[in-house]
Amino acid sequence: MNSTQNIFTTLPETLHQSLNTYLEKHPDWDERRLITAAISLFLLQNADGDRRVSQVYLEALFRRG
């Protein structure tokens, strides 16, 4: 992941609580990593198959710490 962009958004409370619960149980993940993986997976499944998106997804998924 070479460059990054900031995204500011609001989440439904239920989604935010679930996110925090997941992060508490998985300390090797952080909010940025989880959201990056989720967005890239969505794009892989629903958009044109861009290899760069695949790379971002795999880096987010398999990165440690």
Side-chain angles (χ1 to χ4, degrees):
M1 293 180 273
N2 295 345
S3 64
T4 60
Q5 299 293 317
N6 290 321
I7 297 176
F8 298 98
T9 188
T10 56
L11 296 173
E13 183 64 27
T14 302
L15 186 57
H16 188 257
Q17 289 173 350
S18 293
L19 174 68
N20 286 333
T21 299
Y22 182 86
L23 293 175
E24 288 172 3
K25 292 178 181 178
H26 300 89
D28 54 326
W29 283 79
D30 60 29
E31 191 173 279
R32 184 189 57 79
R33 180 180 173 200
L34 191 141
I35 291 172
T36 298
I39 291 172
S40 57
L41 178 59
F42 175 85
L43 292 173
L44 284 172
Q45 294 174 339
N46 297 291
D48 296 333
D50 187 333
R51 292 184 63 137
R52 296 172 297 173
V53 174
S54 298
Q55 184 65 34
V56 169
Y57 175 68
L58 292 173
E59 287 176 5
L61 195 63
F62 293 110
R63 186 186 61 156
R64 295 284 179 209

